Structure formats: structure tokens, C-alpha cells
Amino acid sequence: MHTLPTILSDCWLFRGLDTQEISAVLGCIAAQQHTYPKHSFIFHAGDCVTRAGIVVRGELHIVREDIWGNRAIQAVCRPADLFGEVFACLPDHTADVSVVATQDTDILFLDMQHLLTTCSNGCRFHNQLIHNYITVLAQKNRMLSSKIRHCTQRTTRDKVLSYLSEQAMAAGSTTFYIPLNRQQLADYLSVDRSALSAELSRLQAEGKLRFHRSQFTLLASAEG
């Protein structure tokens, strides 16, 4: 079984720190671990969020719902993923998304005020955390830009191909797995699930791709 510092070493926030340094800094930033059962909410849209979280075990969905209850998945968080850090740094604002556990999930919560304020010892690894946090924000901005790019495509087909093209490039292969099931993918792309399934079937019939569950293969004629 992986220890907590080992799991956290895969988190960008702790990049450049060894497991001993991670163990030392957890007390410095007032870290606390909690467990949430499947389907429970870590926080709801409208809540005041005071702490960021890191998934230690399990999986979370960051979701946005409109007044009619239509849900769109903003992001999926798995072990070593950080979430809620922006809201935790804006005490005068409430969250505009909800975070829900899709499995039994362990979360390590971090006090962002402790994290962003260097300790009296001026330890190198605390300064490294602050530097890493800026990098995390830049990465999150890039991910949001990708989602906007996919969702602003004109048709369901264009949204699907935009998303799958990016996944293929990230995997470095035309055959790859995506981290979402059909309903989750439909929510992520803001399309109807039946329309998504119909479009995937058309693309496969046209020889533009092959798929089985979450595995996809893009074929040479996938453009257009």
C-alpha cells in the first residue's frame, strides 16, 4: 500500500520534494485527511470554501448545474489531483461548482493561508510549494481552455472529434482510453447522451474511428 507522502509526490503541488520533505510540510500547512462515501458532496455550489483538497484515494467529479438541474462535468479528479484551491483563496466568494465523490474517497485538506504564507523558518520546501501552486493554476487554466475549445465547436461531431483528438495527442497514440464513461463524456461536452451515442456510431460506421467502451482508435480519415 502506498503511503500518503508517496501518493502526494505525484501531485504537482509537491513536485520537487522528496517524501521526507512532504511529511514535514504537511504539519506546516495544517493538512487534515477525511473520508467521504460514494455519492456524497464535498461541497455544493454556493458554499464558502476555506480549504483546498487533494484526492488520496477514490474519484471526484467537479460539476456545474443550472437552475433546472442540468449537470455538466467540469473536471474529474483522481488520486494526487488538487481541487478547490481557487475558491479557498477567495474568502469573499462562494463556489460556483459542486464537488461530488463518485467512489468512496479519501481527501487531504490544506489550509491555503498557511500554504501561501512562508513559515518563520523560511524552509526551502515551503517556498517550493508556493512556486508549484502558481504552476498548478496555469495548468488548470490550460485545462479549462481545452474544455472551452471542445464545447464551443458548432456540432456534436465537432465536439467529439476535438476531444478525442486531444486525448490521442496526450496519449501519443491513435489508440487510447478516455477517463469518462458515455454519460460523463456527454456531460463534459454539454451534449445529450443519445446524441453523443448516435454520433459515435455514425463516426464508426464511416470508418473515422473504432471504439469499445472507453477505448478509442482514431483512423486516418477522422478529420472533417
Side-chain angles (χ1 to χ4, degrees), residues 39-58:
H39 299 316
S40 60
F41 281 80
I42 287 66
F43 60 78
H44 292 83
D47 288 349
C48 181
V49 178
T50 59
R51 300 176 297 173
I54 299 174
V55 179
V56 175
R57 176 184 66 94

Side-chain angles (χ1 to χ4, degrees), residues 84-125:
E85 71 284 354
V86 173
F87 303 129
C89 290
L90 297 171
D92 297 330
H93 294 75
T94 57
D96 59 359
V97 295
S98 299
V99 178
V100 60
T102 59
Q103 306 171 9
D104 292 345
T105 301
D106 295 331
I107 298 172
L108 185 73
F109 288 102
L110 314 175
D111 186 308
M112 293 303 294
Q113 296 306 312
H114 280 77
L115 189 151
L116 295 175
T117 304
T118 55
C119 59
S120 57
N121 296 327
C123 52
R124 181 196 69 80
F125 45 74

Side-chain angles (χ1 to χ4, degrees), residues 19-174:
T19 54
Q20 289 184 329
E21 291 172 329
I22 292 173
S23 295
V25 80
L26 290 181
C28 185
I29 58 178
Q32 296 181 333
Q33 187 169 327
H34 295 277
T35 299
Y36 292 83
K38 183 178 180 179
H39 299 316
S40 60
F41 281 80
I42 287 66
F43 60 78
H44 292 83
D47 288 349
C48 181
V49 178
T50 59
R51 300 176 297 173
I54 299 174
V55 179
V56 175
R57 176 184 66 94
E59 181 183 273
L60 303 174
H61 282 181
I62 299 177
V63 300
R64 186 184 299 276
E65 290 183 315
D66 63 22
I67 196 170
W68 297 281
N70 298 311
R71 174 178 292 189
I73 297 175
Q74 197 92 344
V76 178
C77 297
R78 296 187 174 84
D81 286 343
L82 178 70
F83 69 95
E85 71 284 354
V86 173
F87 303 129
C89 290
L90 297 171
D92 297 330
H93 294 75
T94 57
D96 59 359
V97 295
S98 299
V99 178
V100 60
T102 59
Q103 306 171 9
D104 292 345
T105 301
D106 295 331
I107 298 172
L108 185 73
F109 288 102
L110 314 175
D111 186 308
M112 293 303 294
Q113 296 306 312
H114 280 77
L115 189 151
L116 295 175
T117 304
T118 55
C119 59
S120 57
N121 296 327
C123 52
R124 181 196 69 80
F125 45 74
H126 198 143
N127 291 332
Q128 183 66 41
L129 280 187
I130 297 174
H131 178 271
N132 289 350
Y133 176 65
I134 303 301
T135 302
V136 168
L137 290 181
Q139 290 176 326
K140 292 289 183 74
N141 184 66
R142 183 173 180 272
M143 290 170 59
L144 182 58
S145 296
S146 292
K147 178 176 170 60
I148 292 171
R149 183 172 64 253
H150 304 324
C151 291
T152 53
Q153 297 294 318
R154 293 176 63 88
T155 66
T156 298
R157 170 176 291 221
D158 291 339
K159 292 179 181 183
V160 169
L161 292 177
S162 175
Y163 173 79
L164 294 179
S165 176
E166 182 181 73
Q167 292 294 305
M169 288 188 288
S173 171
T174 55

Side-chain angles (χ1 to χ4, degrees), residues 167-186:
Q167 292 294 305
M169 288 188 288
S173 171
T174 55
T175 298
F176 53 92
Y177 288 86
I178 66 171
L180 305 172
N181 63 32
R182 290 294 178 272
Q183 184 59 60
Q184 293 164 356
L185 180 58

